[in-house]
């Protein structure tokens, strides 16, 4: 014990702490008698020697290593002070919190889709959560050869595995390529399971994988929005009329004044035709009621004279028994 007399005691602590650092290894491997261990909130201290864990300390506080720590170490508790140097042991500080990390695909993922030989290019983004859960695996795979490990290291590793996993879970069971957000939670759970299996060997676990958004190419996104608008209107003809009226009233009709005038004329003709058809349909119903009530043709006029011709004498359009031609408006009876 006389060897340690007059020597400065060590302070074993995480003095380079960063919020994004997963673990940090204490670099001075020589611990002298009288040394102190400081464990701050959210940290665990792991003593290991030659790759083998000697003890794990989780409670925050200040400890005297020779009296509070060494008696609890698995193989070093029999250490006898009196050597020409201090006790050589490594101390690993681990950040115990759950980390939240943003992710995003750098390039589009080509998802197989019917009618698109090269696949549909889709980007995605979101967040994932992970934490350390196995100290033995962490030391064996990473901490044994590295002095620290940061969140960016994990993010890069997960990003490298995302493309095949997204393709796998998006393509699974024929999901609707144009409405992937509906299945985002299910896809995220599947990816989380696969990523957890990959990181498990490093002592990490993925606790959540969230897909915030799927992004389509602009031309495909525009078609999706247009299709949704059609579904909301329910009638494509009405939708086209609404679009035309909106364009005319807003002055945003494309193609200049001539195109706008032509569109207005066509719109007017179609509306007039619809009004005539509606009127004719009403007249037909009225005549049908009169016939059911026993009302016949006027005196001196035969039923053949009062009946409308099958074809318009003006334009030749089939009349269908209407009083006016649905194409040119010619009075038929």
């Amino acid at each position: 014990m006389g060897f340690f007399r007059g020597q400065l005691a060590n302070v074993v602590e995480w003095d380079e702490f960063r919020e994004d650092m997963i673990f940090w290894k204490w670099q001075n491997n020589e611990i002298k008698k009288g040394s102190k261990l400081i464990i701050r909130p959210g940290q665990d201290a792991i003593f290991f020697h030659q790759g083998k864990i000697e003890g794990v300390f989780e409670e925050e506080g200040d400890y005297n290593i020779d009296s509070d720590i060494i008696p609890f170490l698995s193989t070093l508790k029999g250490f006898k002070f009196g050597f020409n140097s201090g006790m050589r042991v490594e101390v690993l500080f681990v950040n115990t919190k759950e980390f939240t990390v943003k992710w995003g695909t750098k390039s589009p993922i080509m998802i197989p889709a019917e009618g698109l030989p090269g696949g549909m290019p889709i980007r995605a983004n979101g967040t994932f959560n992970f934490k350390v859960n196995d100290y033995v695996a962490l030391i064996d795979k990473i901490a044994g050869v590295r002095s620290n490990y940061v969140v960016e290291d994990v993010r890069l590793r997960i990003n490298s595995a995302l493309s095949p996993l997204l393709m796998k879970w998006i393509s699974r069971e024929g999901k609707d390529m144009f409405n992937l957000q509906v299945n985002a939670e299910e896809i995220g759970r599947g990816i989380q399971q696969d990523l957890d299996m990959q990181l498990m060997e490093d002592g990490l676990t993925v606790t959540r994988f969230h897909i915030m958004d799927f992004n389509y190419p602009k031309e495909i996104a525009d078609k999706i929005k247009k299709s949704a608008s059609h579904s909301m209107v329910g009638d494509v003809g009405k939708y086209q009329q609404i679009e035309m009226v909106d364009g005319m009233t807003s002055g945003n009709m494309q193609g200049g004044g001539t195109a706008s005038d032509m569109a207005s004329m066509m719109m007017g003709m179609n509306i007039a035709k619809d009004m005539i058809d509606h009127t004719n349909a009403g007249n037909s119903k009225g005549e049908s009621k009169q016939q059911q009530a026993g009302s016949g043709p006027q005196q001196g006029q035969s039923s053949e004279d009062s009946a409308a011709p099958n074809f318009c004498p003006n334009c030749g359009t089939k009349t269908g028994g209407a009083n006016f031609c649905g194409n040119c408006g010619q009075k038929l009876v």
Side-chain angles (χ1 to χ4, degrees), residues 62-117:
D62 296 358
Y63 301 90
N64 292 319
I65 290 180
D66 54 329
S67 60
D68 299 330
I69 302 300
I70 289 179
F72 297 96
L73 300 181
S74 58
T75 59
L76 299 182
K77 59 186 178 182
F79 174 81
K80 301 295 183 181
F81 293 103
F83 289 100
N84 293 328
S85 62
M87 180 178 68
R88 295 188 176 276
V89 64
E90 295 174 287
V91 181
L92 186 74
F93 288 91
V94 178
N95 194 333
T96 61
K97 77 173 186 178
E98 183 176 271
F99 298 92
T100 300
V101 189
K102 293 181 179 180
W103 63 268
T105 53
K106 289 185 177 180
S107 56
I109 303 169
M110 305 307 291
I111 304 298
E114 186 177 354
L116 297 174

Side-chain angles (χ1 to χ4, degrees), residues 23-325:
F23 70 73
W24 178 80
K25 190 187 299 183
W26 186 67
Q27 295 295 331
N28 185 356
N29 292 336
E30 187 177 284
I31 300 178
K32 301 177 176 62
K33 184 173 176 60
S35 297
K36 299 189 70 173
L37 170 68
I38 300 176
I39 302 178
R40 295 182 174 85
Q43 299 177 3
D44 284 355
I46 306 170
F47 284 72
F48 66 103
H49 182 63
Q50 296 181 347
K52 181 180 178 181
I53 293 179
E54 299 292 339
V56 179
F57 300 89
E58 301 175 347
E59 296 293 331
E60 60 182 89
D62 296 358
Y63 301 90
N64 292 319
I65 290 180
D66 54 329
S67 60
D68 299 330
I69 302 300
I70 289 179
F72 297 96
L73 300 181
S74 58
T75 59
L76 299 182
K77 59 186 178 182
F79 174 81
K80 301 295 183 181
F81 293 103
F83 289 100
N84 293 328
S85 62
M87 180 178 68
R88 295 188 176 276
V89 64
E90 295 174 287
V91 181
L92 186 74
F93 288 91
V94 178
N95 194 333
T96 61
K97 77 173 186 178
E98 183 176 271
F99 298 92
T100 300
V101 189
K102 293 181 179 180
W103 63 268
T105 53
K106 289 185 177 180
S107 56
I109 303 169
M110 305 307 291
I111 304 298
E114 186 177 354
L116 297 174
M120 181 184 297
I122 294 176
R123 295 176 184 267
N125 62 81
T127 60
F128 67 88
N129 298 70
F130 76 94
K131 62 184 299 185
V132 178
N133 73 323
D134 186 342
Y135 293 152
V136 175
L138 183 71
I139 292 173
D140 183 48
K141 295 294 184 179
I142 303 177
V145 296
R146 298 188 57 161
S147 61
N148 61 65
Y149 200 51
V150 296
V151 169
E152 181 65 11
D153 295 321
V154 178
R155 190 188 69 81
L156 291 175
R157 176 172 178 182
I158 283 185
N159 270 354
S160 66
L162 274 182
S163 292
L165 290 179
L166 280 165
M167 185 177 296
K168 169 186 173 181
W169 288 98
I170 289 175
S171 304
R172 195 180 178 105
E173 299 176 1
K175 293 181 174 57
D176 182 3
M177 295 297 104
F178 297 97
N179 196 13
L180 289 174
Q181 204 62 43
V182 173
N183 303 111
E185 186 174 349
E186 178 186 352
I187 295 171
R189 284 198 302 267
I191 294 176
Q192 176 190 335
Q193 294 171 6
D194 286 351
L195 287 176
D196 193 49
M197 292 296 294
Q198 292 186 26
L199 295 184
M200 185 182 300
E201 62 183 18
D202 292 343
L204 306 175
T205 181
V206 179
T207 55
R208 186 170 183 261
F209 189 90
H210 174 62
I211 300 175
M212 190 174 300
D213 192 25
F214 287 102
N215 298 305
Y216 298 88
K218 184 179 184 305
E219 58 273 16
I220 294 179
D222 290 343
K223 289 181 179 179
I224 293 174
K225 290 178 182 177
K226 200 170 190 70
S227 176
S229 299
H230 285 187
S231 300
M232 290 176 65
V233 172
D235 186 302
V236 176
K238 289 183 179 179
Y239 176 78
Q240 291 173 341
Q241 292 177 5
I242 292 170
E243 276 200 329
M244 193 173 294
V245 170
D246 288 344
M248 289 187 294
T249 55
S250 64
N252 293 328
M253 291 289 291
Q254 297 179 353
T258 303
S260 178
D261 292 342
M262 288 292 292
S264 300
M265 183 178 67
M266 292 176 63
M267 183 67 179
M269 291 176 64
N270 288 333
I271 294 175
K273 183 178 180 299
D274 289 342
M275 292 176 64
I276 292 172
D277 290 344
H278 181 72
T279 302
N280 289 343
N283 291 339
S284 297
K285 289 181 180 179
E287 291 176 356
S288 175
K289 289 181 179 180
Q290 289 178 0
Q291 289 175 2
Q292 291 176 0
S295 173
Q298 294 182 0
Q299 187 176 2
Q301 184 181 24
S302 65
S303 60
E304 288 141 358
D305 293 336
S306 62
N310 292 328
F311 296 91
C312 176
N314 183 44
C315 66
T317 303
K318 189 174 181 179
T319 64
N323 294 333
F324 294 89
C325 176

